[in-house]
Amino acid sequence: MTLMPWRWLVAMAAGLGGCAYSPPAPFIAIGNEKAVSINWENSTLGPDGALKAAEKHCAKYGLEAELSAQVSRFEVTYRCV
């Protein structure tokens, strides 16, 4: 009878462990081979992550990302050069 409460506690602890971390939300990246707009409003990665997302987008075309304009608090555009 004494083993059952311990098993229950272990199961509950394991179940709650998954709630401690939630991955960052993805960026919204809209663009083509000339420019990309990155919105990070729902992401925890912020503007540094937005730059990395822009670099990844431009790299698909063999280009690098260059800051173009800050559109709003959570959105920025980059040129692919």
Side-chain angles (χ1 to χ4, degrees):
M1 276 286 188
T2 59
L3 281 178
M4 192 55 133
W6 285 105
R7 288 182 185 170
W8 178 251
L9 284 174
V10 170
M12 289 298 292
L16 291 176
C19 298
Y21 172 76
S22 61
F27 293 98
I28 299 173
I30 301 170
N32 55 25
E33 68 277 355
K34 295 182 181 182
V36 61
S37 175
I38 308 289
N39 183 309
W40 70 85
E41 185 170 4
N42 295 319
S43 176
T44 58
L45 298 176
D48 293 332
L51 173 60
K52 290 179 184 177
E55 289 173 343
K56 183 177 177 180
H57 171 84
C58 292
K60 290 190 265 184
Y61 304 102
L63 303 170
E64 294 182 8
E66 178 182 271
L67 180 63
S68 177
Q70 179 86 31
V71 178
S72 68
R73 183 175 174 195
F74 297 108
E75 186 173 357
V76 69
T77 58
Y78 292 89
R79 287 185 298 270
C80 295
V81 293

